[in-house]
């Protein structure tokens, strides 16, 4: 079975150590997050993960986008919508994506695979976008918009450009993170329309990550025009019920198989038993194995060991 990550990895920025880096730092040209990206990439590949990410180490999933999109800002750690939302004049994650791809290909040429497919054996780097519904519902609206739905649609058009940039940069697929959809606060019809806007004209697969309890919305998620629905099944065992007797409309299920809310490293048997339950319900050919959610808050040691155990189990089933 293919393995992947949901996105974020413990950020470990580094102060300049070498003479060259110290000199670059004096010039204001040293980027202390590049070593963090390199570590995230190296760890994922060492663990054996097939489809990796840049680790989203620079900031949280909201701040990365709210800081870059015109019409939004972050103040006192709170994302805000302060004006008409427009596309960013430059790619938001593109440079980190290209750096990730370069690091990965230096470690293994397999990550230069140009096949944009989700078949067994493929390796690559995926592009990750925080979804418009989650961005809007996590932000304080202080200007221009009276209705959240209007802001969501404008954000969708802004994020559409980012999705195309990541595709052109070599993403094997695009993952859109929409954890807010499981809260019941989001208008599903608007959320679906926004996703349709973002992915229109993309030629690579698209995944939708929705964490939390999805039992009340899972049927609706399956009609979104995406290739993968990714959910957590370790931290919320009740989500397994959603997989019973359902028409998946040809979609694969991103199967979160270990809890990302704590540092305890699950045993091989715990992960194996959960994945086997998933196989019994939907078949291994319909599963992509990954963590429940991002691992930004986990310790570095825990995150790596959890990934390594996950891959070891997935490759033996």
């Amino acid at each position: 079975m293919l393995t992947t990550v949901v996105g974020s990895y413990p950020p470990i920025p580094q102060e300049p150590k070498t003479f060259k880096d110290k000199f670059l730092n004096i010039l204001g040209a040293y980027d202390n997050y590049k070593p963090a990206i390199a570590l995230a990439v190296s760890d994922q590949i060492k663990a054996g993960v097939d489809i990796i990410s840049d680790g989203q180490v620079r900031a949280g999933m909201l701040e990365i986008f709210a800081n870059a999109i015109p019409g939004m800002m972050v103040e006192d750690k709170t994302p805000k919508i302060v004006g008409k939302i427009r596309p960013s004049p430059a790619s938001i994650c593109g440079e980190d994506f290209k750096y990730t791809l370069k690091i990965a290909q230096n470690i293994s040429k397999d990550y230069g695979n140009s096949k944009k497919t989700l078949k067994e054996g493929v390796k690559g780097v995926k592009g990750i976008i925080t979804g418009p519904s989650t961005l809007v519902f996590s932000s304080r609206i202080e200007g221009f918009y009276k209705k959240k739905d209007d802001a969501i649609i404008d954000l969708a058009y802004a994020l559409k450009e980012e999705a195309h940039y990541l595709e052109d940069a070599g993403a094997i697929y695009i993952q859109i993170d929409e954890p807010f959809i499981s809260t019941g606060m989001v208008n599903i019809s608007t959320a679906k329309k926004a996703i349709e806007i973002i992915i229109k004209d993309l030629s690579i697969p698209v995944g939708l990550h929705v964490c939390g309890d999805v039992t009340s919305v899972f049927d609706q998620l399956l009609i979104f025009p995406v290739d993968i629905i990714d959910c957590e099944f370790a931290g919320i065992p009740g989500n397994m019920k959603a997989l019973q007797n359902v028409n998946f409309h040809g979609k694969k299920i991103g199967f979160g198989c270990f809890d990302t809310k704590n540092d305890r490293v699950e045993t091989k048997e715990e992960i194996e038993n959960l994945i086997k339950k998933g196989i019994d319900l939907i078949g291994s050919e319909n599963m992509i194995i990954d963590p429940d959610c991002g691992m930004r808050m986990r310790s570095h040691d825990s995150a790596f060991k959890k990934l390594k155990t996950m891959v070891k189990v997935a490759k033996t089933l």
Side-chain angles (χ1 to χ4, degrees), residues 13 20 28 51 55 77 164 172 179 214 229:
K20 178 185 175 183
I51 299 174
K77 299 182 180 180
H164 280 276
I172 193 167
V214 298
I229 298 295

Side-chain angles (χ1 to χ4, degrees), residues 39-258:
L39 179 62
V41 172
S42 173
D43 276 5
Q44 290 171 77
I45 294 176
K46 280 182 186 174
V49 176
D50 297 310
I51 299 174
I52 66 170
S53 78
D54 64 9
Q56 290 186 315
V57 296
R58 290 189 184 276
M61 60 184 287
L62 302 173
E63 289 83 359
I64 289 173
F65 288 87
N67 271 321
I69 293 174
M72 300 189 74
M73 63 177 293
V74 178
E75 190 172 68
D76 297 330
K77 299 182 180 180
T78 301
K80 296 181 178 180
I81 296 172
V82 295
K84 169 73 172 176
I85 292 170
R86 303 182 190 282
S88 171
S91 175
I92 299 167
C93 306
E95 291 306 312
D96 284 350
F97 178 89
K98 288 189 283 188
Y99 185 63
T100 296
L101 193 57
K102 179 182 176 183
I103 295 291
Q105 290 175 344
N106 284 341
I107 296 172
S108 170
K109 297 300 180 188
D110 290 343
Y111 287 86
N113 194 331
S114 61
K115 295 178 181 177
K116 305 298 188 291
T117 161
L118 298 176
K119 291 182 179 178
E120 183 71 26
V122 73
K123 294 187 184 297
V125 181
K126 64 182 176 183
I128 300 175
I129 292 172
T130 302
S133 295
T134 293
L135 276 169
V136 169
F137 275 86
S138 302
S139 300
R140 184 184 301 166
I141 297 181
E142 294 187 349
F144 194 80
Y145 295 97
K146 294 183 178 178
K147 296 180 180 178
K148 283 185 168 64
D149 284 4
D150 293 337
I152 289 169
I153 296 303
D154 278 354
L155 257 173
Y157 282 108
L159 294 170
K160 176 183 178 67
E161 297 201 13
E162 179 68 10
H164 280 276
Y165 185 90
L166 292 171
E167 178 184 32
D168 292 343
I172 193 167
Y173 78 86
I174 300 293
Q175 174 183 295
I176 302 174
D177 292 338
E178 283 284 30
F180 245 87
I181 288 181
S182 66
T183 65
M185 300 169 64
V186 174
N187 181 324
I188 295 291
S189 177
T190 302
K192 178 172 174 285
K193 182 180 178 182
I195 298 298
E196 289 170 348
I197 291 168
I198 295 172
I199 70 175
K200 185 181 179 184
D201 302 325
L202 287 178
S203 61
I204 55 177
V206 176
L208 180 67
H209 169 69
V210 182
C211 50
D213 183 344
V214 298
T215 51
S216 64
V217 296
F218 195 72
D219 285 350
Q220 298 172 82
L221 295 179
L222 291 173
I223 63 172
F224 276 59
V226 298
D227 304 281
I228 307 161
I229 298 295
D230 184 76
C231 305
E232 58 180 311
F233 296 95
I236 303 185
N239 281 342
M240 294 293 285
K241 295 178 183 175
L243 301 180
Q244 299 173 357
N245 303 315
V246 173
N247 180 357
F248 292 99
H249 302 280
K251 293 176 171 56
K252 291 185 180 294
I253 299 301
F255 192 86
C257 69
F258 66 77

